[in-house]
Amino acid sequence: MGAGVRNGGASGRRLVPWVLVAFLAVACSGGGPSGPGPDPGLDSDGDGLGDDVEMALILQYRPVWEWDAAEEIWPISVEEWAGYGGRVMRGAESREYDDVASFASAAAALPDGTMETVADIRAGAAPCAAGAGCDHAPVYVDAVPARFSHRGRGNLVWLHYWLFFHFDRKVLPPATDLSHYGDWEHVCVLVSLDDLGDPDAPPVGVHFHHHGLLDVVDAAEWHADPACAGGTSSPGCRGTRHPAAYVEANGHGMFPGPGETLLGPHFGERSNAADMLDNPVVFLTPHSTNSTSPVDDAIRAFRGRWGQTPGASPFGPLVPTQPCDHDWDATPTLGDWLPGCRT
């Protein structure tokens, strides 16, 4: 993730309250507030979306990740991170950790602290091939009701998909080293609850985040799973509703299509890495699947900065808590959230 400024915006935390954004989004879309969704049933996080509905949407629209041919850095789990050891610090206070339980304890004791982790680069493991049954890095997820309509689509929901990396290897010419430990990055998908269970319904829009910047694209612009280029009957295709996210080589920035930036290429040409559609899904907020998980306790407890980049380490996925916003240096506009509101 890291810090960044979008579209040359001024530095500073966001000033637009979410209630105002929702109001303006209605005006931009030309639609009124959407009606209620289905009976939520068991709703562990109390957001009006049932646990079963959240999981169904998450699986229906989860992205596929396209890895570059030169990729050497892969996502890891929070369990792996904790097992490598380190400490959480705040002023003169310090709590060491070497497993999930001690990491959760340190996070709860010093929730706004900073981290110091192992100095060795842990590259992680390439995602499993479909059906291989291995238990590699999870996709950390959340579903948040949007509470407005957009372009005539009602009952909208933000779906967050996060990957966690132990290391980001970045050296800019001539020799500026931006490499750092511990970073989260994500794709955010805006969908309509009315499309639940429809295998052909595309998302309303997709956010691709990279180092404090993002690309906001609508259904006409995002790339579907490349395995489906020949149609849904193509070998390996599991539905064109899965947006493809192109991950920069040896980093974690996620982009809507192949290309290259100053931080490196993201062409998605690695043929022997799976797309993570079979990797475990872990909810970041209370859910029936994580009611007793120390990993989720730690993620929710720690509000400080991960990694050990002095003054610039990234926040975790739940800081701040606004939908599809994270660690920005620029005050966002409506175009940062909604494709139809871009100017």
Side-chain angles (χ1 to χ4, degrees), residues 126-144:
C128 306
C134 45
D135 186 18
H136 284 171
V139 181
Y140 294 93
V141 301
D142 191 15
V144 182

Side-chain angles (χ1 to χ4, degrees), residues 216-305:
V216 181
V217 302
D218 62 22
E221 297 173 302
W222 56 267
H223 291 240
D225 180 358
C228 302
T232 55
S233 61
S234 302
C237 176
R238 286 180 280 180
T240 57
R241 62 185 178 269
H242 299 290
Y246 290 76
V247 185
E248 65 187 1
N250 296 323
H252 55 262
M254 299 174 186
F255 297 84
E260 187 167 6
T261 71
L262 287 175
L263 297 178
H266 50 273
F267 290 108
E269 297 175 337
R270 191 179 180 99
S271 60
N272 62 340
D275 50 26
M276 297 189 68
L277 278 177
D278 294 297
N279 285 50
V281 168
V282 175
F283 275 82
L284 294 164
T285 52
H287 191 269
S288 58
T289 59
N290 66 6
S291 58
T292 59
S293 169
V295 171
D296 295 280
D297 291 342
I299 294 174
R300 290 196 291 269
F302 190 67
R303 316 301 290 184
R305 292 180 176 270

Side-chain angles (χ1 to χ4, degrees), residues 71-132:
E71 188 59 72
E72 296 178 350
I73 304 295
W74 306 95
I76 65 170
S77 68
V78 173
E79 289 96 331
E80 289 179 84
W81 171 273
Y84 296 151
R87 60 177 177 157
V88 179
M89 303 165 291
R90 184 181 60 193
E93 298 181 87
S94 177
R95 295 289 183 94
E96 294 185 357
Y97 61 85
D98 57 12
D99 58 18
V100 172
S102 56
F103 177 61
S105 177
L110 303 173
D112 56 349
T114 58
M115 289 188 188
E116 182 179 276
T117 184
V118 296
D120 295 333
I121 298 172
R122 307 301 173 105
C128 306

